[in-house]
Amino acid sequence: MNANVNKVVGYLRWGIAGSLLLAAWGLSLTGMSRASDNYNRGVANSSGVSSPAAMAYREECGACHIAYPPGLLPEASWRSIMTTLDDHFGENAELSEGPVAMITAYLSENAGNPGRGMLKRMAGEAPLRITELPYFIRKHDEVPERLVSGNPEVGSFSNCNVCHQRAERGEFDEDTVRIPGYGRWDD
Ligand code: HEC
Ligand code: HEC
């Protein structure tokens, strides 16, 4: 098989596993109220989760860090990120055209609303990092650097999932935070 066929087979395999997972997850979500839906657009959306584009996003963009919930950045940010993958925060994260188009469309469709919520007062801006959003900085300003860059198990704020155990699902409530070497966060 050539590499492309392999990839398609790979996506199919993920699609099937994903649908099963989704069915189980969907059941566990019914009746549960979800406070953090706004961070989670596209991930919570059941048709989004198992679509080939969502799978491609998770596979390609979840290899070095979590596949960040698309709602955390506005569309303009995702578009800049997707057009500069050859120089991605010092790494080469280049992909071929097909996946780029698919993932860009997926991210654009599920991007956050500029000017609202976490992206308040950011209309017209296209930050490349979630960790540079004023909202992000404000929410984390009580977390000392020694627990982040000074903590070998964390390293950087970009590793959301190390502290937020349900980050990939877009859940960031304080009660799901556990910092390695520190424990639960109470403030
Ligand atoms: C080869 C590894 C690699 C791949 C693949 C990769 N990234 Fe990254 N990404 C990085 C590194 C390294 C950083 C910087 C992390 C840090 O500063 O600690 C980063 C940071 C980011 C950030 C900013 C996080 C923050 O600090 O707020 C976003 C957004 C992002 N990547 C999106 C993507 C998307 C979208 C894809 C898929 C097209 C992708 N990444 C694929 C390595 C990768
Ligand atoms: C070193 C651990 C750590 C890392 C890494 C981290 N956070 Fe947090 N985060 C916290 C703590 C602690 C709080 C709670 C702060 C408070 O309110 O006192 C928090 C709060 C938040 C909140 C606000 C939750 C609420 O209900 O108000 C959001 C949203 C959030 N983080 C998103 C992220 C995202 C996105 C990333 C990755 C880009 C990330 N965090 C990385 C520790 C971390």
Side-chain angles (χ1 to χ4, degrees), residues 39 68 72 118 130-131 135-136 139-140 142-143 147-148 154 156-160 163-164 172-174 177 179 185 187:
Y39 309 127
Y68 298 110
L72 293 173
M118 293 187 55
I130 301 153
T131 51
Y135 174 94
F136 183 96
K139 284 288 178 180
H140 295 87
E142 285 174 30
V143 184
L147 294 179
V148 189
V154 182
S156 141
F157 268 124
S158 307
N159 298 322
C160 320
C163 302
H164 295 279
F172 296 102
D173 334 10
E174 271 175 70
V177 177
I179 305 181
W185 185 259
D187 71 348

Side-chain angles (χ1 to χ4, degrees), residues 15-93:
I16 293 163
S19 313
L20 290 175
L21 246 162
L22 176 71
W25 188 40
L27 284 176
S28 73
L29 282 182
T30 8
M32 218 157 87
S33 80
R34 298 173 46 73
S36 43
D37 269 349
N38 53 329
Y39 309 127
N40 201 16
R41 299 203 308 128
V43 180
N45 170 342
S46 53
S47 61
V49 140
S50 61
S51 72
M55 292 298 168
Y57 174 57
R58 283 215 295 271
E59 184 163 313
E60 305 292 358
C61 304
C64 302
H65 45 65
I66 59 160
Y68 298 110
L72 293 173
L73 288 174
E75 179 175 352
S77 296
W78 291 123
R79 288 192 178 277
S80 312
I81 289 168
M82 293 305 294
T83 49
T84 54
L85 288 175
D86 58 328
D87 181 12
H88 180 75
F89 305 94
E91 305 256 347
N92 184 344

